[in-house]
Amino acid sequence: KAGVTQTPRYLIKTRGQQVTLSCSPISGHRSVSWYQQTPGQGLQFLFEYFSETQRNKGNFPGRFSGRQFSNSRSEMNVSTLELGDSALYLCASSLVGGSGEAFFGQGTRLTVV
Amino acid sequence: GIQVEQSPPDLILQEGANSTLRCNFSDSVNNLQWFHQNPWGQLINLFYIPSGTKQNGRLSATTVATERYSLLYISSSQTTDSGVYFCAVAGNTPLVFGKGTRLSVIA
């Protein structure tokens, strides 16, 4: 069974640009969550999608957005990039979210210069 | 929201030694997971253990939900055990992570 796939693995962008990251969950999983990991703030929850609906949202500015498609694949978008957006972005896949066991992808390492 | 505290923050061991990592959480949970973050950043699932005890090889974990803590035991540590160990919990919320324990195993 294939695991969680995130693309791209690495990305370098310039301040002010926008970026789109992709996550394909484990087959049959309907919940996809996104996390940002930085050395200073640790792992912080961005948002969760379940059956194409945003179910939970973390405390991030509106520049961070996401969506989920009918095949459960999810994308997150960051507009008007800032230096502080440099981070490892991790996607988690779960059957039901919340109480269900979560499995993570390899992450996308974003560097903003 | 739920608070998660992990201890110790850093741990240095000689190869072959045993260790215990602790995770305290502030509210009742439906999900508790232990992860090992590899050098490339991926979170590797170790245990899904909202309550009870589980063992997998040299690793075992115990969660005492009524007292709101979980313990991860690593026996006969190897250099490949080095890395950061995270505890994450969920109530009626998405997973909340602790700050992790950085383990260094020295040959």
Side-chain angles (χ1 to χ4, degrees):
Chain A
K1 201 173 191 180
V4 183
T5 303
Q6 289 189 245
T7 56
R9 292 290 311 281
Y10 302 93
L11 210 46
I12 300 175
K13 289 286 189 179
T14 304
R15 271 181 302 175
Q17 287 186 314
Q18 74 165 8
V19 67
T20 299
L21 312 182
S22 179
C23 173
S24 293
I26 293 170
S27 177
H29 285 194
R30 296 163 65 187
S31 168
V32 174
S33 298
W34 290 88
Y35 291 81
Q36 181 196 65
Q37 186 178 26
T38 59
Q41 298 298 319
L43 277 148
Q44 293 187 286
F45 169 74
L46 281 156
F47 26 67
E48 179 200 6
Y49 287 87
F50 185 86
S51 294
E52 300 180 68
T53 300
Q54 187 179 87
R55 192 157 69 171
N56 287 288
K57 189 177 192 309
N59 189 23
F60 278 82
R63 300 185 297 107
F64 291 81
S65 63
R67 58 179 174 169
Q68 186 179 33
F69 302 96
S70 58
N71 62 358
S72 292
R73 190 178 70 85
S74 176
E75 290 181 346
M76 68 163 281
N77 184 276
V78 188
S79 63
T80 319
L81 284 165
E82 300 177 0
L83 295 179
D85 297 333
S86 295
L88 178 65
Y89 290 87
L90 291 162
C91 163
S93 163
S94 171
L95 266 173
V96 297
S99 62
E101 186 174 9
F103 298 85
F104 283 80
Q106 293 176 296
T108 294
R109 194 168 294 276
L110 171 66
T111 302
V112 182
V113 298
Chain B
I2 296 176
Q3 306 295 315
V4 182
E5 288 188 11
Q6 291 187 244
S7 60
D10 296 281
L11 189 57
I12 301 174
L13 298 174
Q14 277 304 124
E15 200 170 25
N18 302 328
S19 60
T20 301
L21 282 57
R22 187 176 180 102
C23 171
N24 293 333
F25 45 96
S26 62
D27 206 343
S28 59
V29 298
N30 300 319
N31 181 0
L32 189 146
Q33 292 184 244
W34 283 97
F35 297 93
H36 178 212
Q37 189 164 40
N38 68 21
W40 298 272
Q42 185 170 11
L43 290 170
I44 307 299
N45 289 43
L46 297 177
F47 293 102
Y48 169 73
I49 186 166
S51 64
T53 298
K54 291 185 178 180
Q55 180 156 8
N56 184 4
R58 296 181 296 104
L59 273 58
S60 63
T62 294
T63 298
V64 184
T66 52
E67 298 187 21
R68 298 182 184 166
Y69 74 89
S70 183
L71 302 174
L72 176 68
Y73 305 96
I74 304 174
S75 64
S76 304
S77 57
Q78 301 175 357
T79 55
T80 51
D81 294 332
S82 296
V84 183
Y85 290 79
F86 288 101
C87 167
V89 304
N92 292 320
T93 59
L95 282 174
V96 176
F97 282 80
K99 294 188 183 302
T101 292
R102 183 174 297 277
L103 175 64
S104 300
V105 181
I106 301 171

